[in-house]
Amino acid sequence: MNYHDRQQRLREALRASRLDALLVTHLPNVRYLCGFTGSAGVLLVTAGGSAFFTDGRYTQQASAEVKDAKVTITRKAALKTAMESVARKRLSSRTPKALVLGIEGQYLTVAERGSLAEVEGKRVRIREAPPLIERARMVKDAEEIEAIRAVVDQGAALFDCALRVICPGVREVEVAAEMEYAARKGGTEGMSFETIIASGSRSALPHGRASEAVIEAGGFVVCDFGVILHGYCSDRTRTVYVGAATGEARRVYEAVLASQQAAIEAVRPGAKISHVDGAARKTLKNSGLAQYFTHSTGHGVGLEIHEAPRVAQGQQETLRPGMVITIEPGVYLPGKWGVRIEDMVVVTEQGCEVLAPTQKELIVI
Ligand code: ZN
Ligand code: ZN
């Protein structure tokens, strides 16, 4: 990964935002900028260079992983040491002007924000930074797309595993367990979120985590799952029917599939994201099901399972080549059942490419 270029681009963005430095505390952002994969560390990016602070648990890991930043191992909290270094530098500086330090306010606890305030005023002004790194992360480079392809392939294979297990009488957690076991055996770092296996009336819960519920004949099973590989996440949903599918079930499934297809066809460079969401909704409206589609159409995926951009109504962001988003419309009939179909797509120069595409006709078990 080209950490040097990422940091340089961030410096330009800092200048444009009138910030002298940025205190990066959100770990996926830290990883994106310098490669550190541990669970405690702070990166301070200034015009002149970057400094990384962590504690003794990560001495070896930091020296192996951190690129383009000077590493400091501290006995105190990394955040506190980073701030002390900012304050010290300012006190020894000859310029009387205060240093404007950006922070990632949405990721700091109230206590952490309070500890930062201790150095405020000593020629340091703290300001909430705009989401500069999140914006940069929206567009993936070739190396990231390669990593995402690999994780999507690994994640997609888990559906075959689910198909082998799903049948009447099996609990939802057993299906999730088999998938998660296969994921680990396959070499992934873990699941990118808690596996959703929602059967029967639970399939009408858009986020129905696998429960003790027993899968019964005569209903849908929504399987939403993903894995992490080399830090990158996958996200995919398939819905199957257990038992003899009714005409209504088939109609709803076909409507969701048509909605997903329409949204995928709307993904191209230059398209407004709200337009993609609108394409999914319009198709469902034609089937009289739009009121049962209760969430947004998708989201960005990368180092985090949910990241910018949101694929939702009113989103003015424009699609650019290299963006990776999910397209996941769903229809949920409360108390009855639900259907969702989700794929990850990468925006290309011409349109988009569905990652690990498969046939999506209704599978009946
Ligand atoms: Zn999902
Ligand atoms: Zn998703």
Side-chain angles (χ1 to χ4, degrees):
M1 301 289 173
N2 198 335
Y3 301 112
H4 179 79
D5 281 6
R6 290 176 183 176
Q7 291 187 23
Q8 280 306 110
R9 276 199 297 275
L10 175 61
R11 288 190 180 97
E12 285 160 28
L14 286 176
R15 258 199 307 279
S17 303
R18 297 170 177 274
L19 294 168
D20 297 316
L22 183 66
L23 190 63
V24 186
T25 48
H26 185 47
L27 286 167
N29 286 346
V30 171
R31 178 175 188 156
Y32 180 77
L33 290 171
C34 75
F36 179 71
T37 66
S39 64
V42 171
L43 184 71
L44 178 68
V45 179
T46 67
S50 298
F52 176 76
F53 302 85
T54 189
D55 61 70
R57 292 172 297 168
Y58 293 109
T59 309
Q60 282 185 46
Q61 191 176 335
S63 82
E65 289 181 343
V66 175
K67 303 283 181 291
D68 296 286
K70 184 177 167 285
V71 175
T72 299
I73 307 293
T74 169
R75 287 193 180 172
K76 300 183 213 164
L79 186 66
K80 196 167 167 54
T81 308
M83 283 312 288
E84 284 170 1
S85 107
V86 171
R88 223 177 15 253
K89 277 213 183 85
R90 287 316 291 166
L91 285 173
S92 62
S93 155
R94 288 199 198 106
T95 38
K97 204 175 134 268
L99 175 126
V100 183
L101 175 69
I103 57 165
E104 300 179 299
Q106 69 181 117
Y107 302 114
L108 290 173
T109 63
V110 173
E112 285 167 338
R113 181 66 184 86
S115 76
L116 298 185
E118 288 167 22
V119 296
E120 220 165 352
K122 293 175 188 162
R123 298 164 83 184
V124 178
R125 282 218 318 272
I126 293 173
R127 199 188 293 160
E128 174 99 17
L132 302 173
I133 310 168
E134 286 79 356
R135 268 184 221 148
R137 280 174 46 195
M138 283 199 298
V139 175
K140 275 72 179 170
D141 62 29
E143 221 176 325
E144 289 184 285
I145 288 172
E146 203 180 306
I148 289 170
R149 273 183 202 287
V151 72
V152 173
D153 284 345
Q154 285 257 17
L158 298 186
F159 182 55
D160 297 332
C161 178
L163 287 180
R164 280 196 294 272
V165 188
I166 293 174
C167 69
V170 168
R171 286 173 301 151
E172 293 169 358
V173 279
E174 288 175 70
V175 179
E178 292 294 338
M179 294 169 84
E180 291 171 11
Y181 182 68
R184 288 299 256 174
K185 284 274 264 191
T188 64
E189 287 147 35
M191 308 309 287
S192 46
F193 56 91
E194 255 187 87
T195 305
I196 291 170
I197 304 290
S199 68
S201 61
R202 294 189 74 254
S203 62
L205 308 171
H207 267 197
R209 288 188 190 118
S211 75
E212 291 263 33
V214 172
I215 296 171
E216 287 171 18
F220 282 111
V221 182
V222 173
C223 311
D224 190 347
F225 50 95
V227 292
I228 307 171
L229 187 65
H230 305 305
Y232 284 84
C233 298
S234 78
D235 190 6
R236 190 178 185 90
T237 306
R238 292 290 183 265
T239 301
V240 299
Y241 197 91
V242 178
T246 61
E248 188 196 16
R250 285 185 184 278
R251 269 195 306 281
V252 170
Y253 186 89
E254 290 306 319
V256 174
L257 186 55
S259 163
Q260 197 216 20
Q261 201 48 46
I264 289 171
E265 278 161 23
V267 176
R268 70 179 77 92
K272 276 230 173 77
I273 285 188
S274 56
H275 178 70
V276 174
D277 184 88
R281 266 169 233 286
K282 190 170 159 223
T283 311
L284 284 175
K285 200 171 172 192
N286 296 342
S287 324
L289 293 165
Q291 73 267 36
Y292 302 111
F293 176 24
T294 48
H295 52 75
S296 54
T297 296
H299 51 89
V301 193
L303 288 171
E304 288 177 277
I305 182 65
H306 292 123
E307 57 182 50
R310 278 186 65 221
V311 184
Q313 279 169 316
Q315 291 294 308
Q316 295 304 307
E317 189 75 52
T318 298
L319 289 170
R320 281 173 278 160
M323 284 183 169
V324 175
I325 56 173
T326 68
I327 301 293
E328 52 178 304
V331 162
Y332 311 92
L333 304 173
K336 203 168 175 184
W337 36 249
V339 174
R340 179 166 66 256
I341 304 169
E342 174 181 29
D343 283 290
M344 282 167 61
V345 305
V346 54
V347 183
T348 60
E349 296 291 339
Q350 295 80 28
C352 79
E353 180 194 339
V354 177
L355 298 173
T358 55
Q359 290 292 318
K360 285 177 273 190
E361 279 98 49
L362 179 61
I363 294 174
V364 175
I365 293 171

